[in-house]
Amino acid sequence: MERVLILNGSPRAPRSNSKRYGEIFAACYGENAEICPVTRGNHQELRDKLDGVSHLLFVFPLYADAIPVPLLDFLKFLEDHPPQKRPAVSVLINCGFLEPQQNEIALEMMRLFCRQNRYPFASSLSIGSGEAILNSPFRFLAARKIKRFARSIARGTPQTLSVTMPLTKKWFVAASTSYWVKYGARWGTTQAQMQTMEIQ
Amino acid sequence: MKLILSDCPLSIQLPDQGDVKWIDLSRLNIANCVGCFGCWTKTPGRCVIRDDAVKVYPLIARSDTLLYISRIKYGGYDTVMKTMLERAIPVQQAFIRILAGETHHVQRSVVPKDATILAYGDTGEEERAIFRKLVARNAHNMNFKTYRIFFCREEEVNDFTGKELKAWNVC
């Protein structure tokens, strides 16, 4: 089985959903997977790890419709400091919107990086409703798709996969409103306060 | 108001009038968004990181005419502009609405905008095609009423900017 380095490109890596997705992947994949966060100070260390793996998995959230800055910076570092042997690259991306296709542009950016820098692109998994799905009754759908994604990497059979909550858009709006109202309540913030139109 | 955000210094002369504001992001101290959701749930509309970004995103919200000038990387905004755009999420609410058949965040007091994007660098058609799709998607999340995209080489940025400002009747 190929050795996989899982890089968590979330700006809030230690307590991110990307960390949870990476852990589910690693549990499916087995002992040949290692998870590391991408931080401002560890680019060289991560690049050195690439020499020992045959597969690189980027896990990250959609930020402003694209790749988050910490990961963008790491990609630029890799461009300037390529490893001796380039591993195959797969991507697991999640967004808070219902539609996994809202991740498509960030995926295209990752594929472009791979083409420009001669990394073989393998599989992708695009997750919609990614902020909440792991805490919902639909967690099993995400877990099942991650398992299939891990299998595609282990077998070297690239796949393009996606998953989201099986809800109508209106139901999703209602469910996400409830989710965020509860989130605000942790800080003592009411729904009306969260809906302020004021920008400071 | 009209707002110019650039990721580099420009050789332009702006009249001393309140309606037009130019910000060179490369001269500001702007940290990365840490994804804490504080601006949505803890201090709504207010970023908890009080660096130079907090002077910029209220101006983005208030402007009706925008010019973004950015280097392009992998078909997206390069680091300087992208850092600012990520830090601008206090202009949105956590809550979701349906817009153009998709789910998107509700906006706070964000004026609808006529946006012009000047993307510079040594880009090929493939990279430009991705960037066009990105801006089309940004339009939903950044309240662009209309948008135009221009591509140029780095050494052409000042000329393109000057032409655009003439079209605004600014210079």
Side-chain angles (χ1 to χ4, degrees):
Chain A
M1 189 181 277
E2 295 191 338
R3 184 158 175 73
V4 177
L5 178 63
I6 304 166
L7 294 186
N8 178 356
S10 171
R12 50 175 183 151
R15 52 199 172 83
S16 61
N17 286 306
S18 296
K19 179 169 183 267
R20 298 172 73 192
Y21 289 123
E23 287 169 350
I24 294 170
F25 177 92
C28 295
Y29 195 83
E31 60 187 21
N32 282 323
E34 178 185 2
I35 308 177
C36 297
V38 177
T39 67
R40 194 186 293 263
N42 73 350
H43 290 181
Q44 184 63 50
E45 179 193 337
L46 296 180
R47 180 242 166 266
D48 292 344
K49 283 179 182 284
L50 291 186
D51 290 329
V53 302
S54 51
H55 209 103
L56 176 57
L57 170 61
F58 289 105
V59 185
F60 62 94
L62 189 70
Y63 262 50
D65 301 310
I67 299 169
V69 167
L71 180 55
L72 179 62
D73 283 340
F74 179 64
L75 297 180
K76 288 159 64 176
F77 179 87
L78 273 188
E79 185 167 312
D80 292 338
H81 306 84
Q84 290 179 344
K85 185 174 170 234
R86 288 167 171 78
V89 168
S90 290
V91 172
L92 191 166
I93 178 171
N94 78 91
C95 69
F97 304 118
L98 179 63
E99 304 84 9
Q101 60 267 31
Q102 294 212 37
N103 294 318
E104 187 53 40
I105 292 158
L107 273 175
E108 286 194 39
M109 293 170 71
M110 293 300 296
R111 289 191 195 101
L112 180 65
F113 164 80
C114 289
R115 279 195 292 278
Q116 287 180 343
N117 293 280
R118 292 176 286 120
Y119 290 82
F121 192 89
S123 294
S124 64
L125 172 56
S126 182
I127 299 178
S129 60
E131 171 64 25
I133 194 169
L134 290 181
N135 298 323
S136 79
F138 304 116
R139 176 192 165 91
F140 76 98
L141 291 176
R144 194 162 69 189
K145 203 54 79 85
I146 291 170
K147 189 174 182 182
R148 193 168 147 197
F149 179 61
R151 205 182 305 133
S152 80
I153 291 172
R155 294 177 177 170
T157 52
Q159 291 202 39
T160 302
L161 304 169
S162 64
V163 66
T164 190
M165 290 186 189
L167 297 176
T168 64
K169 292 180 200 308
K170 282 188 180 174
W171 271 103
F172 179 75
V173 169
S176 65
T177 299
S178 170
Y179 173 86
W180 285 112
V181 168
K182 284 179 192 160
Y183 203 115
R186 293 184 210 169
W187 305 108
T189 309
T190 66
Q191 181 173 355
Q193 287 170 326
M194 290 172 69
Q195 288 172 321
T196 180
M197 299 304 275
E198 198 178 338
I199 296 164
Q200 302 174 51
Chain B
M1 74 170 281
K2 296 178 170 62
L3 178 65
I4 305 162
L5 287 188
S6 70
D7 69 352
C8 59
L10 300 171
S11 308
I12 56 170
Q13 295 288 326
L14 287 176
D16 186 17
Q17 62 182 74
D19 187 47
V20 183
K21 179 91 177 164
W22 166 41
I23 298 173
D24 175 4
L25 297 171
S26 69
R27 295 169 63 94
L28 302 186
N29 174 33
I30 299 177
N32 289 348
C33 175
V34 294
C36 67
F37 297 138
C39 61
W40 287 348
T41 62
K42 195 174 182 182
T43 56
R46 186 178 195 272
C47 182
V48 297
I49 306 171
R50 305 310 288 171
D51 62 9
D52 288 336
V54 305
K55 301 175 202 161
V56 182
Y57 63 73
L59 298 177
I60 294 175
R62 285 208 294 272
S63 63
D64 57 20
T65 307
L66 271 179
L67 172 59
Y68 286 167
I69 301 167
S70 175
R71 185 180 295 280
I72 187 171
K73 193 71 186 170
Y74 311 132
Y77 295 100
D78 204 351
T79 301
V80 174
M81 182 65 72
K82 184 64 170 26
T83 302
M84 184 59 238
L85 295 180
E86 289 183 7
R87 289 290 306 284
I89 64 163
V91 309
Q92 300 176 338
Q93 298 177 12
F95 300 112
I96 300 286
R97 61 177 170 164
I98 300 171
L99 177 71
E102 289 181 333
T103 54
H104 292 279
H105 287 287
V106 176
Q107 306 271 315
R108 301 191 197 278
S109 291
V110 178
V111 175
K113 299 165 197 324
D114 294 310
T116 304
I117 318 292
L118 181 54
Y120 70 86
D122 297 322
T123 57
E125 186 46 44
E126 187 181 23
E127 192 159 18
R128 292 178 180 196
I130 295 173
F131 191 75
R132 287 188 195 99
K133 290 185 206 171
L134 173 64
V135 176
R137 188 157 285 293
N138 285 163
H140 293 316
N141 292 318
M142 298 177 182
N143 218 3
F144 293 171
K145 192 171 53 180
T146 66
Y147 65 85
R148 298 175 300 149
I149 305 167
F150 297 98
F151 297 96
C152 71
R153 294 193 304 274
E154 184 169 0
E155 58 270 25
E156 296 172 322
V157 166
N158 280 302
D159 285 347
F160 267 79
T161 305
K163 284 177 192 165
E164 183 63 19
L165 295 186
K166 275 186 184 160
W168 289 7
N169 294 319
V170 170
C171 302

